[in-house]
Amino acid sequence: MTKKRIIFTGGGSAGHVTPNIAIINELNSEEWDIQYIGSKNGIEKEIIEKIKIPYFSISSGKLRRYMDWDNVKDIFRVLKGCLEARKILKTQRPSLVFSKGGFVSVPVILAAKSLNIPIFIHESDMTPGLANSISKRFATKIFTSFEEAVQYFPNRKTKAIGSPIRKDVLSGSKEKGLNLLGFQDKKPVIVVMGGSLGAKKINDTVRVCLKELLQHYQIVHLCGKGNLDKKLEAIKGYRQFEYVHDELPDILASADFVITRGGSNAIFEFLALNKPMIIIPLTRKQSRGDQILNAKSFEKKGYSITLEEEDLTKESLYKKLKELHEKKMDFKTAMKNSGKSNALNILLDEINKQD
């Protein structure tokens, strides 16, 4: 049987790559030949090469919503990327291009459209990034994580399905997690996550109220690279890591609550795991505000509590945790009834329909 070929694209951040990996991991390798197009030096290159998927590099420019002289240079980089992507696609002849966005995806989508190759797009956030705003007119089908995002895309080809979740994240063992951490099953466990680089204000606030928190909880603190505090290493009921990889599913299985940023991929993983959460989104000074919108949507639906970073103090964090604990079952019931844990299977079904 001749294999069908699919080419994934997306990059600039891990959030534009990990949902692609969730799909890649579940595609039947006997039916599909899987390849990836990304930038020459982006994070996607490092991530994809680790899982040994054939990787093609193209030129790409940064897409900006503001005036900058670099925009002129980047027009030529994007044009060069379009020519490079078209050459790759013409040679490889995929049945489908699947994009998770990021600036590197635009040349790939333009090239695919010029060759009449079907294009699927998935948008993670409440409002589309600039890449998907440009690419939406060329897509065959568009999928979104949030219902609220559908309004920004052509209605006839757009469907809200949630976010594709890596199946390994859902297969953790609570017992293994507790053993790994040296915790007991007597106090609830809080996982604190600020992203791969950590979040200074979240880290500092958790550590300032650590004594009070540890009276009621056990805490796993994923504090980001270079953010360990060696003075806290010996404290019972508190474990800190820069980051974790293979151990993450077991650690999340052991968690009762999560304190997190508002990145779409992460919060949809916690939703699928039914973990009540406090979301502390990036501020508008740090981002385009997408995490704030994500957090408000989840709070409105009863999945989480929002705590703005500007309002984050020892007292406000403790107050929100108390509320989360007291209403734990309400949150878990809303999350179980969300219907947003099947996105991966929906995407796999749609991909497998392609000739």
Side-chain angles (χ1 to χ4, degrees), residues 13 30 59 66 72 93 123 126 133 135 146 152 174 187 212 255 278 285 309 344:
S13 72
E30 293 184 1
S59 298
Y66 54 87
V72 178
R93 297 187 173 279
E123 172 58 54
M126 284 268 288
S133 293
S135 301
F146 291 92
Y152 300 102
K174 179 176 181 178
K187 284 184 183 178
E212 291 87 346
I278 295 174
K285 292 180 181 178
E309 185 167 309
L344 179 57

Side-chain angles (χ1 to χ4, degrees), residues 184-189 214-218 256:
Q184 297 179 336
D185 198 11
K186 295 180 180 178
K187 284 184 183 178
V189 174
L214 289 175
Q215 293 177 23
H216 306 283
Y217 305 99
Q218 300 169 102
D256 296 278

Side-chain angles (χ1 to χ4, degrees), residues 77-96:
R77 293 191 183 105
V78 171
L79 289 173
K80 184 181 179 185
C82 287
L83 294 173
E84 292 169 339
R86 196 174 194 279
K87 184 178 179 181
I88 293 164
L89 294 175
K90 202 169 182 180
T91 302
Q92 300 303 321
R93 297 187 173 279
S95 301
L96 179 68

Side-chain angles (χ1 to χ4, degrees), residues 24-73:
I24 288 169
N25 287 343
E26 299 305 320
L27 284 174
N28 187 335
S29 60
E30 293 184 1
E31 294 181 13
W32 286 97
D33 177 30
I34 303 165
Q35 300 177 351
Y36 207 101
I37 298 178
S39 62
K40 298 182 190 304
N41 301 305
I43 189 172
E44 64 272 18
K45 188 174 192 290
E46 178 184 349
I47 294 172
I48 295 300
E49 287 182 344
K50 279 183 181 176
I51 62 172
K52 303 190 185 307
I53 297 295
Y55 185 91
F56 298 93
S57 298
I58 63 168
S59 298
S60 61
K62 183 177 180 182
L63 301 173
R64 303 173 183 86
R65 296 176 186 266
Y66 54 87
M67 295 299 294
D68 192 292
W69 280 111
D70 282 335
N71 289 344
V72 178
K73 297 178 188 175

